[in-house]
Amino acid sequence: MEKLPTGNETILIVDDQETVWDFLIEALQNLGYTVIIAENGEDAVSICRESPGSIDLVLLDMIMPKMGGHTAFYQIKAIDPKIHVLLSSGYVDAASVEDLLKNGADGFLEKPHRIKTLARELRRILDPEKQA
């Protein structure tokens, strides 16, 4: 079996589906990451505001109740302009993804997540110096 890339960073998962949390928490913790969960964009913005600089990457679902990914992205980036954001969705408007990618999002992953793809994408974003 192929060895997946690991890390020790803190990942904030922003998603309103418990099944997604369960899978991602277990998979990412097994790869060495610290995982924080937010059920919606509002919670994610609060977490980022309360602990600036402590989150390395946000895995941000685009479609959620209370505050969707598009709005949450801009508020999170206003709090921490250097934070990495990986967009995620099963169904989303391509124009809104393009808008966020142009404005600093680090990538987009379609759902359902494949852990191999996610693990590689995390390292691509978190280790830019290794990509050269």
Side-chain angles (χ1 to χ4, degrees):
M1 194 170 102
E2 179 187 347
K3 189 169 179 341
L4 296 174
T6 59
N8 59 3
E9 292 89 353
T10 299
I11 311 275
L12 172 60
I13 297 170
V14 188
D15 203 298
D16 59 328
Q17 294 177 301
E18 274 185 59
T19 52
V20 172
W21 303 341
D22 295 343
F23 165 73
L24 288 174
I25 290 169
E26 185 176 349
L28 292 173
Q29 285 177 339
N30 286 340
L31 292 173
Y33 296 99
T34 300
V35 181
I36 301 170
I37 294 290
E39 275 185 63
N40 56 59
E42 273 181 14
D43 291 353
V45 170
S46 294
I47 290 166
C48 289
R49 192 174 291 127
E50 287 160 21
S51 46
S54 65
I55 294 160
D56 298 292
L57 183 139
V58 179
L59 181 60
L60 183 62
D61 188 25
M62 295 296 293
I63 314 287
M64 292 174 293
K66 289 193 184 175
M67 181 190 293
H70 202 266
T71 304
F73 171 82
Y74 286 108
Q75 292 194 19
I76 289 167
K77 279 295 206 178
I79 294 164
D80 183 354
K82 290 193 220 69
I83 200 165
H84 293 288
V85 180
L86 179 56
L87 307 172
S88 160
S89 189
Y91 172 80
V92 72
D93 168 32
S96 75
V97 169
E98 279 305 310
D99 174 53
L100 297 184
L101 289 171
K102 280 190 200 122
N103 286 287
D106 294 281
F108 173 74
L109 278 185
E110 224 170 284
K111 286 182 181 176
H113 297 294
R114 290 189 169 60
I115 195 58
K116 188 186 335 185
T117 308
L118 177 59
R120 283 194 193 123
E121 193 66 359
L122 291 175
R123 293 321 323 155
R124 178 190 69 78
I125 293 167
L126 294 167
D127 299 330
E129 67 282 356
K130 289 185 183 169
Q131 305 306 313

